[in-house]
Amino acid sequence: MIPGLTKRFFIFCAIAAAGCALDLWTKHWVFDWLGYPSIEPHWLWTGHVGLQTSLNRGALFGIGNGQVWLFVTLSILTAAGIVYWLFVRGAARDGVLNIALAVIMAGILGNLYDRLGLWSHPGLEPDQCRAVRDWILVQYDNNWVWPNFNVADSMLVGGSCALFLFSLRRQPLMDDAE
């Protein structure tokens, strides 16, 4: 690790661990409360925002359904790449980048935990537990229904948006005059 990055490393680890813990706690709580599967949503705002448990054995919108080990491999490689870039190559010198990637790491770890089958639920076979637990339902009057998601997914999207905004403020690598 490059000298001077120890504090950034601990900040990164704290954010990633706290985000992952929040994701896993909310999944555990909602699945214990509503069970699986929850057929009828528990509406927080009727017809718009609710809680409904579901399992996703794929990735974005169910793409790659059943390719659990592909997504496990991609998650591990991405997590390793983030750590390498930040703490071996020194990108963690930028605090905003460090935080954005820590939030992304939290999302990766939360969903990786699920894909590895490290959770269980009464009535489910161990192989069924190699799926990501989703529970947040967003829709608009049954005409537009967003696929269920979870806190880890929210962290992946939020961290990615922060990373995009970070890229907009960066200085170009080469002078435009050259």
Side-chain angles (χ1 to χ4, degrees):
M1 188 178 318
I2 294 173
L5 294 182
T6 304
K7 180 179 176 185
R8 300 283 171 127
F9 179 74
F10 286 114
I11 291 169
F12 174 86
C13 289
I15 292 170
C20 180
L22 176 65
D23 174 64
L24 296 178
W25 178 79
T26 57
K27 289 173 181 175
H28 176 78
W29 178 72
V30 171
F31 271 67
D32 275 359
W33 176 39
L34 295 177
Y36 176 79
S38 60
I39 306 302
E40 292 297 319
H42 175 81
W43 291 109
L44 303 174
W45 178 15
T46 304
H48 301 288
V49 179
L51 309 177
Q52 182 181 41
T53 58
S54 65
L55 297 177
N56 183 357
R57 294 183 56 85
L60 299 168
F61 312 108
I63 294 171
N65 190 24
Q67 300 296 316
V68 174
W69 294 108
L70 171 65
F71 296 119
V72 164
T73 303
L74 290 174
S75 296
I76 292 169
L77 291 173
T78 301
I82 288 171
V83 171
Y84 176 79
W85 186 38
L86 285 174
F87 302 107
V88 175
R89 300 290 302 195
R93 286 186 183 110
D94 189 299
V96 174
L97 180 62
N98 193 45
I99 291 170
L101 289 174
V103 172
I104 290 171
M105 181 66 81
I108 290 170
L109 295 175
N111 284 341
L112 180 60
Y113 181 93
D114 284 2
R115 285 192 175 104
L116 289 172
L118 300 176
W119 64 281
S120 63
H121 191 76
L124 290 178
E125 296 296 321
D127 188 52
Q128 291 176 291
C129 295
R130 286 191 176 87
V132 174
R133 296 171 286 173
D134 292 326
W135 56 272
I136 302 170
L137 173 65
V138 176
Q139 68 179 31
Y140 181 73
D141 295 332
N142 288 326
N143 296 322
W144 179 84
V145 180
W146 192 259
N148 290 16
F149 59 101
N150 57 43
V151 172
D153 297 335
S154 300
M155 287 185 285
L156 287 166
V157 170
S160 297
C161 289
L163 195 57
F164 173 73
L165 293 174
F166 170 83
S167 73
L168 295 178
R169 76 172 179 101
R170 299 290 297 164
Q171 296 297 319
L173 295 176
M174 297 176 60
D175 188 2
D176 291 335
E178 291 183 296

